Amino acid sequence: MIGRREREGPLMRNNAQSLRKSRVLTAVAIGILIGCILAFLFPNGFIVSHSRHLPVKGSKTQEISAECESSDRVNMLKSEFVAVSDNNAELKKQVRELTERLRLAEQGKDQAQKQFLALGKQVKAGPFGTVKGFRTNPTVVPDESVNPRLAKILEKIAINREIIVALANSNVKEMLEVWFTNIKRVGIPNYIVVALDDEISKYCELNQVPFYKRDPDEGIDTIGKSGGNHAVSGLKFLILREFLQLGYSVLLSDVDIVYLQNPFNHLYRDSDVESMSDGHDNMTTYGFNDVFDEPAMGWSRYAHTMRIWVYNSGFFYIRPTIPSIELLDRVATRLSKENAWDQAVFNEELFYPSHPGYEGLHAARRTMDIYLFMNSKVLFKTVRYDANLSKLKPVIIHVNYHPDKLPRMKAIVEYYVNGKQEALKPFPNGSSW
């Protein structure tokens, strides 16, 4: 065994030495190959020295050259900075323009939905019976530049940005006195009279009634000073627009109304327009299914229709929203071009649905309680004969169904304020003509 190991030892050592030499040669060859490749790819080496660009101390020419080069570099950087600043200014201008366009666009179609989606996160529909849609449109941003003088007046009078507004000229002076006397008696501070002539301005000032006299306007002045009830009633839609643009909710009131309670304590404020009705009972006021019969149709002779008596355009609460302002614009525009009754136009624009060739108004509506916000037909035809209903105290009574307005207004005050039970008896249910 020993002899075999001695014989194999020199042979194995020779083989090991040969293997190491071959490995060394292979490594050297690989190194040379990698060096050639790197030399080809990076002729200037991995680290580029900038020392050759730097001036040598004591060399005046190189120092001047460096200073010139530095100055040119600074000038170039300044030019680039100015260019970037100009671009920035242009971009800011474009952003402002786009923002303004977006704002105007949002005031158009689908205004409420866009604002709601922007302000609140989208949600999934809940379980059956729990889903309730978004009803209240957002108010507009107040714009005092529309009428700075009116804005200052309203700032002093309005409460919670709400105010009662009535239009009056000297033709309704006596009814106006009953109107504001009862407002004062109830204790309503936030009301104002839009005086349409100088006589009413002086009369309001004499009786310490808040008033606002518009700046001269030839067209409006002519209607306001000499117009009858219907003409003045049509004018109010144009005037109310400024109140809404200033960001105030308006309770529009004709002067043939007797106030018995503060109406602001009985509003819901969940709609664009909240109006009293010309209906005389629950069906006509809140709507009913009216069946139209056409025998010639045979099997399909009965057609179901939905009916509601019109809103009264002489007493309604309107919030400062885009649909509300659009309503005023639509009504005012039509009244300027058509020989139409303002109340009919008011209701058509509120209720007509979109159809081919016409886009309906997307406004939320609420009908006021008929026994709190009462018209004179309800009072003189029904309530005064009903023992239970006659005990109720309405918020307001609008003498809209009768032409003898002033004596009926005074009788209403006697009945509800002074407790004279016989005050309403002399008057017929309807009018004598």
Side-chain angles (χ1 to χ4, degrees), residues 205-273:
E205 188 174 10
L206 182 65
N207 289 276
Q208 297 181 327
V209 172
F211 72 94
Y212 163 67
K213 182 72 165 61
R214 287 176 54 86
D215 293 330
D217 186 306
E218 185 176 349
I220 291 178
D221 288 347
T222 302
I223 298 172
K225 291 177 181 178
S226 59
N229 285 345
H230 281 187
V232 172
S233 188
L235 180 63
K236 66 193 173 194
F237 296 98
L238 190 61
I239 294 176
L240 283 183
R241 194 185 202 278
E242 291 184 351
F243 286 81
L244 266 59
Q245 282 184 280
L246 293 172
Y248 290 88
S249 295
V250 173
L251 184 58
L252 187 280
S253 173
D254 283 352
V255 295
D256 57 344
I257 292 176
V258 177
Y259 284 77
L260 302 172
Q261 299 185 61
N262 190 331
F264 291 112
N265 296 334
H266 300 272
L267 297 174
Y268 284 81
R269 301 173 177 85
D270 63 349
S271 303
D272 298 297
V273 177

Side-chain angles (χ1 to χ4, degrees), residues 161-190:
R161 301 193 74 82
E162 294 180 322
I163 191 164
I164 297 174
V165 177
L167 277 67
N169 59 20
S170 53
N171 293 335
V172 296
K173 186 176 178 180
E174 289 182 300
M175 284 192 291
L176 179 64
E177 182 179 4
V178 178
W179 181 84
F180 68 67
T181 298
N182 283 278
I183 283 181
K184 288 182 177 181
R185 180 185 54 77
V186 173
I188 305 169
N190 50 328

